[in-house]
Amino acid sequence: MMPAKERALRQEVIDTCLKMNALGINQGTSGNASVRLADDPAAGFYITPSAIPYEEIRPEDVVRMELDGSHSENRRPSSEWRFHLDIMRHRPDCGAIVHAHGMFATTLACLRMEIPAFHYMIAQAGGPTIRCSDYATFGTQELSDTALEALEGRRACLLANHGMIAIGPTLKKALALALEVETLAAMYWRTLQVGKPVILPDDEIERVGIKFGTMGYGTVDKVEAKPKKRKGRAA
């Protein structure tokens, strides 16, 4: 019998793929996801199997891969296993990867356009731009190489004429970033229909990134409480 912790992690891979489609950032089985086996850069990972509808995947179908490229024989790993493997090898900060074909992110990727700092939330991806990689055929080592280059110093990138990649310490955070990238792509696409957006300077994105890293989005700095005014009687 599969240990409960292992089953839960495998199920999380499946649930992430189902959520990608439910959120509208992916269609069919075009995307994929992976997560490290443990909080250890040397650990292998679980990855979605190839060519099985997400609704039909069971925990036993999820493929285990090691960092030497070997994998369990229960199923074939996703056709994109190469960039999952190389990212896990070269990015010790990465605990999980989400690859999706969101409509707006893919639209910009087909135009070979990066997303600039038109909005401060770009800092969530780790820098002042979300780069677009060069094009390479899906499932190839060439695609993995160009993806690694586009992700250097970043947590997300677009893949030319293909889609997007988002990474994070957990599947939950990688999926949240993938959704943010798709939202930014949609907003950027819309701004271009009206005019040329104002781009924020790099030092502002750096400040925002520091705030994200130290406080977390949605928190506020502590302020000194002001004494409440007493309500006096009407004269």
Side-chain angles (χ1 to χ4, degrees):
M1 182 180 288
M2 187 182 297
K5 188 174 181 180
E6 179 182 343
R7 177 172 287 274
L9 200 55
R10 288 170 178 260
Q11 185 62 50
E12 190 177 3
V13 171
I14 300 168
D15 292 343
T16 298
C17 291
L18 290 169
K19 287 177 185 176
M20 284 196 300
N21 283 9
L23 290 167
I25 64 172
N26 193 65
Q27 307 80 39
T29 59
S30 57
N32 34 72
S34 64
V35 63
R36 284 197 198 270
L37 300 175
D39 187 18
D40 178 358
F45 57 95
Y46 291 124
I47 186 170
T48 42
S50 177
I52 303 178
Y54 300 151
E55 295 81 3
E56 298 177 15
I57 300 175
R58 298 293 176 262
E60 294 78 11
D61 297 318
V62 175
V63 179
R64 174 173 175 161
M65 291 200 76
E66 306 301 334
L67 295 188
D68 64 4
S70 62
H71 62 83
S72 57
E73 299 298 325
N74 55 324
R75 295 283 185 178
R76 287 185 297 117
S78 165
S79 61
E80 303 290 16
W81 64 267
R82 286 177 177 81
F83 69 63
H84 285 266
L85 175 63
D86 285 343
I87 292 169
M88 291 290 190
R89 278 175 172 169
H90 292 90
R91 293 290 297 266
D93 60 317
C94 174
I97 301 166
V98 167
H99 169 53
H101 291 190
M103 183 177 293
F104 288 97
T106 304
T107 296
L108 296 182
C110 289
L111 293 167
R112 310 284 177 93
M113 295 175 66
E114 68 177 17
I115 306 176
F118 76 103
H119 191 285
Y120 72 88
M121 285 295 286
I122 203 86
Q124 291 279 49
T129 61
I130 296 174
R131 302 187 188 104
C132 183
S133 75
D134 293 331
Y135 178 74
T137 306
F138 81 94
T140 62
Q141 186 59 49
E142 290 76 17
L143 177 62
S144 180
D145 293 342
T146 192
L148 273 178
E149 185 178 352
L151 280 169
E152 186 174 352
R154 300 285 193 275
R155 291 187 286 271
C157 72
L158 306 183
L159 299 175
N161 303 84
H162 188 150
M164 73 151 95
I165 295 173
I167 69 175
T170 63
L171 277 169
K172 184 177 180 180
K173 290 188 176 182
L175 179 60
L177 180 56
L179 180 59
E180 188 62 50
V181 171
E182 177 66 5
T183 300
L184 287 165
M187 290 191 294
Y188 185 51
W189 183 88
R190 285 177 168 87
T191 64
L192 294 175
Q193 311 313 303
V194 180
K196 187 177 180 180
V198 176
I199 305 303
L200 297 171
D202 289 358
D203 60 348
E204 172 59 14
I205 299 304
E206 185 177 357
R207 277 192 292 272
V208 172
I210 291 170
K211 289 176 75 69
F212 283 162
T214 56
M215 297 191 303
Y217 184 62
T219 62
V220 294
D221 293 306
K222 289 183 179 180
V223 295
E224 202 173 304
K226 293 181 179 179
K228 293 182 180 179
K229 292 183 179 179
R230 294 185 179 180
K231 293 182 180 179
R233 293 191 220 178

mmCIF file of all heavy atoms in Angstrom, residues 73-90:
data_model
loop_
_atom_site.group_PDB
_atom_site.id
_atom_site.type_symbol
_atom_site.label_atom_id
_atom_site.label_comp_id
_atom_site.label_asym_id
_atom_site.label_seq_id
_atom_site.Cartn_x
_atom_site.Cartn_y
_atom_site.Cartn_z
ATOM 1 N N GLU A 73 8.328 2.996 -13.852
ATOM 2 C CA GLU A 73 7.815 2.403 -15.090
ATOM 3 C C GLU A 73 6.299 2.286 -15.123
ATOM 4 O O GLU A 73 5.742 1.646 -16.008
ATOM 5 C CB GLU A 73 8.441 1.006 -15.276
ATOM 6 C CG GLU A 73 9.957 1.015 -15.406
ATOM 7 C CD GLU A 73 10.444 1.797 -16.620
ATOM 8 O OE1 GLU A 73 9.759 1.776 -17.651
ATOM 9 O OE2 GLU A 73 11.512 2.449 -16.519
ATOM 10 N N ASN A 74 5.631 2.909 -14.167
ATOM 11 C CA ASN A 74 4.169 2.782 -14.141
ATOM 12 C C ASN A 74 3.517 3.466 -15.344
ATOM 13 O O ASN A 74 2.545 2.972 -15.920
ATOM 14 C CB ASN A 74 3.607 3.357 -12.838
ATOM 15 C CG ASN A 74 4.044 4.797 -12.580
ATOM 16 O OD1 ASN A 74 5.171 5.163 -12.905
ATOM 17 N ND2 ASN A 74 3.178 5.607 -11.996
ATOM 18 N N ARG A 75 4.049 4.604 -15.747
ATOM 19 C CA ARG A 75 3.541 5.368 -16.897
ATOM 20 C C ARG A 75 4.695 6.113 -17.543
ATOM 21 O O ARG A 75 5.759 6.274 -16.950
ATOM 22 C CB ARG A 75 2.484 6.390 -16.448
ATOM 23 C CG ARG A 75 1.202 5.794 -15.889
ATOM 24 C CD ARG A 75 0.300 5.277 -16.973
ATOM 25 N NE ARG A 75 -0.983 4.817 -16.437
ATOM 26 C CZ ARG A 75 -1.965 4.359 -17.183
ATOM 27 N NH1 ARG A 75 -1.807 4.279 -18.501
ATOM 28 N NH2 ARG A 75 -3.093 3.959 -16.625
ATOM 29 N N ARG A 76 4.460 6.629 -18.759
ATOM 30 C CA ARG A 76 5.446 7.510 -19.383
ATOM 31 C C ARG A 76 5.294 8.896 -18.775
ATOM 32 O O ARG A 76 4.171 9.377 -18.594
ATOM 33 C CB ARG A 76 5.218 7.593 -20.896
ATOM 34 C CG ARG A 76 5.615 6.338 -21.646
ATOM 35 C CD ARG A 76 5.481 6.525 -23.153
ATOM 36 N NE ARG A 76 4.111 6.776 -23.550
ATOM 37 C CZ ARG A 76 3.682 7.898 -24.123
ATOM 38 N NH1 ARG A 76 4.515 8.893 -24.368
ATOM 39 N NH2 ARG A 76 2.417 8.021 -24.471
ATOM 40 N N PRO A 77 6.408 9.588 -18.455
ATOM 41 C CA PRO A 77 6.286 10.953 -17.924
ATOM 42 C C PRO A 77 5.829 11.919 -18.996
ATOM 43 O O PRO A 77 5.906 11.622 -20.198
ATOM 44 C CB PRO A 77 7.712 11.277 -17.467
ATOM 45 C CG PRO A 77 8.585 10.432 -18.349
ATOM 46 C CD PRO A 77 7.808 9.159 -18.588
ATOM 47 N N SER A 78 5.365 13.070 -18.592
ATOM 48 C CA SER A 78 4.968 14.135 -19.518
ATOM 49 C C SER A 78 6.018 14.334 -20.605
ATOM 50 O O SER A 78 7.225 14.201 -20.357
ATOM 51 C CB SER A 78 4.795 15.446 -18.747
ATOM 52 O OG SER A 78 4.746 16.549 -19.618
ATOM 53 N N SER A 79 5.564 14.661 -21.809
ATOM 54 C CA SER A 79 6.500 14.904 -22.913
ATOM 55 C C SER A 79 7.454 16.055 -22.611
ATOM 56 O O SER A 79 8.499 16.178 -23.239
ATOM 57 C CB SER A 79 5.724 15.204 -24.199
ATOM 58 O OG SER A 79 4.921 16.359 -24.052
ATOM 59 N N GLU A 80 7.105 16.897 -21.636
ATOM 60 C CA GLU A 80 7.956 18.031 -21.266
ATOM 61 C C GLU A 80 8.847 17.719 -20.071
ATOM 62 O O GLU A 80 9.333 18.633 -19.401
ATOM 63 C CB GLU A 80 7.095 19.263 -20.958
ATOM 64 C CG GLU A 80 6.176 19.698 -22.082
ATOM 65 C CD GLU A 80 6.909 20.287 -23.280
ATOM 66 O OE1 GLU A 80 8.147 20.097 -23.396
ATOM 67 O OE2 GLU A 80 6.249 20.935 -24.103
ATOM 68 N N TRP A 81 9.086 16.440 -19.788
ATOM 69 C CA TRP A 81 9.862 16.079 -18.606
ATOM 70 C C TRP A 81 11.256 16.672 -18.603
ATOM 71 O O TRP A 81 11.826 16.927 -17.542
ATOM 72 C CB TRP A 81 9.950 14.561 -18.466
ATOM 73 C CG TRP A 81 10.678 13.838 -19.567
ATOM 74 C CD1 TRP A 81 10.128 13.281 -20.687
ATOM 75 C CD2 TRP A 81 12.094 13.607 -19.653
ATOM 76 N NE1 TRP A 81 11.105 12.700 -21.469
ATOM 77 C CE2 TRP A 81 12.321 12.883 -20.859
ATOM 78 C CE3 TRP A 81 13.185 13.918 -18.847
ATOM 79 C CZ2 TRP A 81 13.600 12.491 -21.266
ATOM 80 C CZ3 TRP A 81 14.461 13.523 -19.247
ATOM 81 C CH2 TRP A 81 14.663 12.818 -20.441
ATOM 82 N N ARG A 82 11.814 16.960 -19.801
ATOM 83 C CA ARG A 82 13.194 17.460 -19.844
ATOM 84 C C ARG A 82 13.338 18.805 -19.144
ATOM 85 O O ARG A 82 14.295 19.010 -18.390
ATOM 86 C CB ARG A 82 13.676 17.548 -21.294
ATOM 87 C CG ARG A 82 13.988 16.200 -21.920
ATOM 88 C CD ARG A 82 14.386 16.332 -23.379
ATOM 89 N NE ARG A 82 14.748 15.040 -23.964
ATOM 90 C CZ ARG A 82 13.876 14.151 -24.396
ATOM 91 N NH1 ARG A 82 12.566 14.420 -24.320
ATOM 92 N NH2 ARG A 82 14.277 13.002 -24.908
ATOM 93 N N PHE A 83 12.417 19.756 -19.407
ATOM 94 C CA PHE A 83 12.619 21.041 -18.731
ATOM 95 C C PHE A 83 12.258 20.949 -17.254
ATOM 96 O O PHE A 83 12.816 21.670 -16.422
ATOM 97 C CB PHE A 83 11.967 22.223 -19.455
ATOM 98 C CG PHE A 83 10.469 22.319 -19.490
ATOM 99 C CD1 PHE A 83 9.721 22.464 -18.336
ATOM 100 C CD2 PHE A 83 9.798 22.356 -20.718
ATOM 101 C CE1 PHE A 83 8.344 22.623 -18.381
ATOM 102 C CE2 PHE A 83 8.424 22.510 -20.783
ATOM 103 C CZ PHE A 83 7.695 22.636 -19.611
ATOM 104 N N HIS A 84 11.340 20.062 -16.882
ATOM 105 C CA HIS A 84 11.081 19.850 -15.452
ATOM 106 C C HIS A 84 12.355 19.336 -14.776
ATOM 107 O O HIS A 84 12.748 19.820 -13.717
ATOM 108 C CB HIS A 84 9.939 18.848 -15.263
ATOM 109 C CG HIS A 84 8.583 19.396 -15.548
ATOM 110 N ND1 HIS A 84 7.766 19.929 -14.569
ATOM 111 C CD2 HIS A 84 7.898 19.506 -16.712
ATOM 112 C CE1 HIS A 84 6.630 20.332 -15.116
ATOM 113 N NE2 HIS A 84 6.691 20.083 -16.423
ATOM 114 N N LEU A 85 12.992 18.355 -15.404
ATOM 115 C CA LEU A 85 14.216 17.779 -14.852
ATOM 116 C C LEU A 85 15.323 18.808 -14.750
ATOM 117 O O LEU A 85 15.970 18.955 -13.693
ATOM 118 C CB LEU A 85 14.672 16.610 -15.732
ATOM 119 C CG LEU A 85 16.011 15.948 -15.365
ATOM 120 C CD1 LEU A 85 15.939 15.312 -13.982
ATOM 121 C CD2 LEU A 85 16.404 14.910 -16.414
ATOM 122 N N ASP A 86 15.551 19.567 -15.808
ATOM 123 C CA ASP A 86 16.660 20.528 -15.805
ATOM 124 C C ASP A 86 16.419 21.680 -14.839
ATOM 125 O O ASP A 86 17.354 22.167 -14.195
ATOM 126 C CB ASP A 86 16.906 21.047 -17.223
ATOM 127 C CG ASP A 86 17.610 20.020 -18.101
ATOM 128 O OD1 ASP A 86 18.179 19.060 -17.544
ATOM 129 O OD2 ASP A 86 17.588 20.180 -19.333
ATOM 130 N N ILE A 87 15.173 22.125 -14.731
ATOM 131 C CA ILE A 87 14.874 23.189 -13.769
ATOM 132 C C ILE A 87 15.104 22.678 -12.347
ATOM 133 O O ILE A 87 15.718 23.365 -11.512
ATOM 134 C CB ILE A 87 13.434 23.712 -13.946
ATOM 135 C CG1 ILE A 87 13.289 24.446 -15.282
ATOM 136 C CG2 ILE A 87 13.061 24.656 -12.796
ATOM 137 C CD1 ILE A 87 11.854 24.765 -15.663
ATOM 138 N N MET A 88 14.634 21.476 -12.054
ATOM 139 C CA MET A 88 14.852 20.901 -10.724
ATOM 140 C C MET A 88 16.346 20.737 -10.438
ATOM 141 O O MET A 88 16.802 20.937 -9.311
ATOM 142 C CB MET A 88 14.139 19.550 -10.602
ATOM 143 C CG MET A 88 12.626 19.632 -10.594
ATOM 144 S SD MET A 88 11.978 20.379 -9.081
ATOM 145 C CE MET A 88 10.222 20.046 -9.275
ATOM 146 N N ARG A 89 17.126 20.373 -11.452
ATOM 147 C CA ARG A 89 18.566 20.201 -11.271
ATOM 148 C C ARG A 89 19.278 21.520 -10.997
ATOM 149 O O ARG A 89 20.169 21.605 -10.148
ATOM 150 C CB ARG A 89 19.171 19.589 -12.528
ATOM 151 C CG ARG A 89 19.065 18.080 -12.678
ATOM 152 C CD ARG A 89 19.612 17.691 -14.027
ATOM 153 N NE ARG A 89 19.731 16.250 -14.212
ATOM 154 C CZ ARG A 89 19.987 15.686 -15.377
ATOM 155 N NH1 ARG A 89 20.151 16.437 -16.460
ATOM 156 N NH2 ARG A 89 20.086 14.375 -15.473
ATOM 157 N N HIS A 90 18.918 22.552 -11.755
ATOM 158 C CA HIS A 90 19.669 23.806 -11.734
ATOM 159 C C HIS A 90 19.098 24.877 -10.799
ATOM 160 O O HIS A 90 19.756 25.885 -10.563
ATOM 161 C CB HIS A 90 19.755 24.384 -13.156
ATOM 162 C CG HIS A 90 20.604 23.572 -14.074
ATOM 163 N ND1 HIS A 90 20.109 22.544 -14.841
ATOM 164 C CD2 HIS A 90 21.942 23.615 -14.323
ATOM 165 C CE1 HIS A 90 21.086 22.007 -15.544
ATOM 166 N NE2 HIS A 90 22.205 22.637 -15.241
#
